[in-house]
Each structure stands twice: as C-alpha cells, then as structure tokens.
Amino acid sequence: RATGPMSAQRLLIPTLRALLIAFALFEAVDIRLYAVRTYGRVIHEFDPWFNFRAAEYMVAHGWGAFQAWYDHEVWYPLGRHVGSTTYPGLQLTAWGVHSALAAVGRPASLNDVCVFLPAGFGALAAGFTGLLAWEVTRKPNAAALATAIMAIHPGHLMRSIAGGFDNESIAVAAMVSTFYLWVRALRSDASWPAALLCGVSYSYMVAAWGGYVFVLNMIGIHAAALVLVGRYSARLWRAYSLWWLVGTAGAVFGPARYLVGWQPFQSLEQLGPTAVFAALQLWQLSEVMADRRRLDATETLKLRLRLFGYAAAAAAVAVAVVLPEGFIGPMSARVRSLFIKHTKTGNPLVDSVAEHQATPPMLYWHYFHFTLFVMPLGLGTAFFGKSDAKLFLIVYTIVGFYFSAKMVRLLLLISPATSVCAAACLDSLIAFNIEALTADDQPPVEGEEEEAEQPRAISPPPQQPPQPPQ
C-alpha cells in the first residue's frame, strides 16, 4: 500500500473533484430557486401556464382523455386539439413525479411539482454535460469543470428557472443525455447497449420538445462525418442502427405520435438521418461481401459504387412511382427560417415572435460570458488525438453555432458544447501550470546527485615542446 505524501495527494485530488461536482449540482438547483425565494411557488410566463393547465387536465382525467381533449377555451374562437398540437413529455414527467411522490408517502401539490421540476432537470443537464466532457476528453478534471460551468451557464439558466414550466426546461437534459449515450456507444465494440439507451433517451426528447429535429440531425451528421474521414467501423454501424430503430419507433409510436406522425419518413428536415441509416446498411453489406470474396481496395470500391447505384435507382423509382404525390413534404416554416431571413418564412406566427429573430452578436456575451473566449481554445484541443467523441464535439459546436446565430431561442442548444469546450481549455491550462510549477521539484535521477557533488579535476595546460636552439 502506498504511503506518504504521494498517497495523500492521490486521495486529495479525487476528493476535491467529487466535492466540486457535488457543489456544482447543489448550486445548479439552488441558483434556479431564486424566483421561488423571491416571489413564492408560482408559475410564470404564458406558455408555462398553459403547460400547467394541460398537466392538471392529464392528472385529473388520464392519458386517454388528454389525447382526445379539444380545448374550447384557447385559440378563441376555433379552440385547439391538445393531443395533436402539444409535445406531452413535459406533462407526463410532471404526472410521473407527482404520482411517485404520492406513492412513497411524500405527496406534493401538482403546482409545486411543476414549479421545482425545471430546477431539478437543470442539475440533470449539468451532470450529463460532465459525462459528455469525460467521453470527449477522458480527463476527470475536465468532466468536473464542465459540470460546474453548465450548472450556472446563463444560456441554460434562461430556460430552466424554477417556475418556468416549459418544454425546454426538460428538453436540454434529454438532449445532452442523448448526446452522451451516443458517444458512449462508440467507445468500444462492447458499448452497443448504450445505443439502446440512446434510442430511449431520444424518444423522450421527441416527446418533450420540437427541438428533437436538431438532435436527430446532429447524430446523423456525425455518423456521416465519421465515414467521410475514414473512421467507419462495425461499431458505428451497430450503434447507429440500434439508435435509429429504437428512436424512430419511439418517435412514431410514442407519446407524441399524433404530433410527429410519419415525419421521419416524410419531412424533408428528417430524411437526412434516414438516408444515413440506409447508407450505413449498404456500407456494412459491402464490407461483408468484400471480406468473404477477399477483394482488394479497388474491387471493394467498385462493389460499393454498384450497391449505392442500385439503391439510388430503386429509391428514385419508389419516389416517382410507388409513393403518392405529396408524400414527402417541404421543410416547415420554422426550419426554413434558419436558412433564409425570418421575414420570408410565410408564417406570420413565426415571423412575429421576438425569439425567432436572428441573434444579435451582443447576446453571445450576455449568455456565454467568459466561455465565449476560452471555447475556441478548448475546441482546438479536440483536433489532437483523434477519436469519435472528439469529432462529435467539433461537429456539434460548428453546427450549433450556425443555427444559434439564426434564431435567438436556439442559443440554449450550444450551452453544453461551450461548457465542454471551456472545461477542456481550463483543464489544459491548469495541467500546464501545475506541470510548470512542479518541474523544479522533481528529484534528481540516481547517480546524477553524486556526480554533481564531486568536483571535477582541473587538468594542467598542455606543455609546449622545447624549441631547438637558433
């Protein structure tokens, strides 16, 4: 057993790290309770009030009645069919927590559950961000720092304050957990069960918020990027296939089925990941056929081109002949606003909402503060030591910043990415300074100390040979 100062140091660092994580999770909840301490246990803002009213209806009448509920008291004079216009994950979560507390003998009012729920999920989002940082950097200090940064990140705080019972308050935690489980599934060949959990987490994300389209496309883009940079493997094929099958089934047949419908196969913004799923099946088939036929690289490439050519021709025939006209629809107005100016979406509701406008540059400092400056340095560390998880962070940060610049409300999508990048930068700086400070304290190598203590003998100057007489 190791004893002495080195043993104490080995125990001290993990203890301090655990204390930092525990304090960060505590602060993640405590800082979000400011509104409760100031104004009491109240629901604030318009959308959270509607969500609370819908949760009351679900708890009082049950899931079946909620799906069939046509609310005549909103959107006057037309009313609203709630089951097909609401992502019910938020109400289901509140109902589940309310029922669980009653089952364990700690009953709480539904109002209190809905008030405190965003604060609890804020801590969950911080914890999953730390796990994501661990998968990317494989450094425990970076994971602890990412947890602490995400816990108090203003870009996340704006949507997870206690009393703000809105979809985004639980969706960020679902998004980060999906991202973490996705990169965890790519760690090794034995990590495929994480892909199943990733599909379940994604299904919850679909039920929670319409931002699931971003999560769907992020995983699809990452998988395609891995293939393009030459990092295809059977592990990638297995993880993506399991995630896509479980996640798509959860989206089409899950709680939000009336709202999602068959969009994974019809909506233009969701067809990309479906195409990546089909492409990975063909790629894996070509790998198996090439291995069995013992083909070289050139023959494998020709086989792959033939397979993809046949598949493209079959898809073209299916779209032109088999599928009915209009089966594949255009992008939604909200998604189109991410690529064109907001005044040209054609949807007055989307165009008029302030949070759908383009993001002013000053808001980045307002919501990201110092992480905005250290984030590029942390992102730069991802380019050293290639891994699937590091490539995910690169793709996530670039794509997330593009969309955050197009719409104000999408700033919260990149809060986890900036937290991980900032943590990676701070971890590198701390490690560099510790190494620099302790470099002079290293004990000398055995044998060097004795050699340094022994004085060197002074050799006499060389004697000149005698000169012959003139």
Side-chain angles (χ1 to χ4, degrees):
R1 178 180 299 177
T3 58
M6 293 299 296
S7 176
Q9 182 180 5
R10 292 175 182 174
L11 292 176
L12 178 62
I13 293 178
T15 302
L16 293 177
R17 192 183 299 131
L19 290 176
L20 174 61
I21 295 175
F23 179 73
L25 296 177
F26 171 79
E27 282 299 315
V29 176
D30 184 70
I31 196 173
R32 287 166 170 81
L33 299 182
Y34 175 80
V36 174
R37 289 192 292 266
T38 305
Y39 304 107
R41 302 177 182 182
V42 296
I43 305 285
H44 53 79
E45 301 179 30
F46 175 79
D47 285 348
W49 266 109
F50 168 78
N51 293 326
F52 173 66
R53 181 166 172 269
E56 282 185 317
Y57 190 93
M58 180 183 292
V59 172
H61 300 88
W63 171 243
F66 178 84
Q67 289 183 302
W69 179 29
Y70 194 93
D71 189 0
H72 296 277
E73 299 182 10
V74 297
W75 292 6
Y76 179 84
L78 300 178
R80 173 183 181 182
H81 185 263
V82 179
S84 61
T85 57
T86 301
Y87 289 96
L90 182 65
Q91 289 78 17
L92 286 171
T93 303
W95 187 15
V97 174
H98 180 263
S99 301
L101 291 175
V104 298
R106 304 281 296 186
S109 67
L110 184 61
N111 177 83
D112 290 354
V113 171
C114 295
V115 166
F116 290 106
L117 194 67
F121 271 79
L124 284 177
F128 279 115
T129 301
L131 292 174
L132 178 61
W134 163 250
E135 286 297 325
V136 173
T137 63
R138 306 300 294 172
K139 297 179 180 179
N141 291 337
L145 289 170
T147 304
I149 294 172
M150 186 63 176
I152 58 174
H153 200 300
H156 182 216
L157 279 169
M158 66 175 177
R159 290 290 183 174
S160 56
I161 296 296
F165 186 62
D166 210 350
N167 298 82
E168 294 91 337
S169 64
I170 67 171
V172 175
M175 178 184 71
V176 185
S177 68
T178 303
F179 287 161
Y180 160 68
L181 291 169
W182 165 246
V183 296
R184 178 64 180 85
L186 298 175
R187 183 195 294 182
S188 65
D189 293 336
S191 300
W192 61 266
L196 297 173
L197 296 177
C198 182
V200 174
S201 178
Y202 170 74
S203 300
Y204 179 74
M205 175 70 191
V206 174
W209 186 39
Y212 76 90
V213 177
F214 175 78
V215 178
L216 171 68
N217 283 278
M218 270 307 312
I219 296 179
I221 293 173
H222 178 233
L226 288 174
V227 176
L228 292 177
V229 300
R231 296 188 63 86
Y232 175 83
S233 62
R235 179 175 62 251
L236 171 63
W237 164 75
R238 187 180 302 110
Y240 192 91
S241 300
L242 291 174
W243 162 78
W244 189 88
L245 291 172
V246 175
T248 303
V252 175
F253 303 106
R257 59 183 179 274
Y258 292 124
L259 189 58
V260 176
W262 294 99
Q263 290 185 32
F265 308 99
Q266 293 180 287
S267 179
L268 197 59
E269 61 260 27
Q270 299 187 40
L271 286 178
T274 302
V276 172
F277 170 76
L280 288 179
Q281 309 311 309
L282 294 175
W283 199 286
Q284 180 65 16
L285 177 61
S286 66
E287 291 284 333
V288 174
M289 294 176 65
D291 182 66
R292 291 182 178 179
R293 300 179 183 181
R294 298 181 180 180
L295 303 179
D296 57 20
T298 303
E299 293 174 334
T300 302
L301 178 60
K302 293 179 179 179
L303 172 63
R304 193 167 291 150
L305 291 175
R306 286 198 301 270
L307 288 176
F308 277 88
Y310 296 151
V317 171
V319 172
V321 179
V322 179
L323 296 180
E325 184 178 357
F327 181 82
I328 298 178
M331 288 185 177
S332 63
R334 184 170 295 179
V335 174
R336 288 201 308 272
S337 67
L338 301 176
F339 300 97
I340 58 178
K341 291 184 179 181
H342 67 275
T343 55
K344 297 181 180 180
T345 62
N347 188 329
L349 181 61
V350 175
D351 296 339
S352 64
V353 179
E355 63 182 10
H356 293 163
Q357 314 301 317
T359 305
M362 62 174 294
L363 286 185
Y364 281 99
W365 169 253
H366 182 75
Y367 286 115
F368 295 100
H369 209 256
F370 84 96
T371 61
L372 190 63
F373 298 100
V374 298
M375 183 275 301
L377 299 177
L379 183 62
T381 62
F383 288 89
F384 300 93
K386 297 179 181 178
S387 70
D388 295 349
K390 288 184 176 181
L391 182 60
F392 176 82
L393 179 63
I394 295 172
V395 174
Y396 175 24
T397 305
I398 294 174
V399 175
F401 261 96
Y402 169 80
F403 287 113
S404 70
K406 297 296 182 178
M407 188 177 292
V408 175
R409 69 180 304 182
L410 297 185
L411 283 171
L412 81 163
L413 292 179
I414 56 171
S415 299
T418 55
S419 299
V420 174
C421 290
C425 176
L426 294 178
D427 174 73
S428 300
L429 292 176
I430 293 173
F432 174 80
N433 284 278
I434 291 177
E435 183 178 356
L437 292 173
T438 58
D440 297 335
D441 299 334
Q442 298 296 328
V445 180
E446 184 179 356
E448 291 184 355
E449 186 175 356
E450 292 80 357
E451 183 179 351
E453 292 178 354
Q454 295 178 359
R456 294 184 178 180
I458 302 176
S459 58
Q463 297 181 359
Q464 298 293 333
Q467 298 293 333
Q470 296 292 334

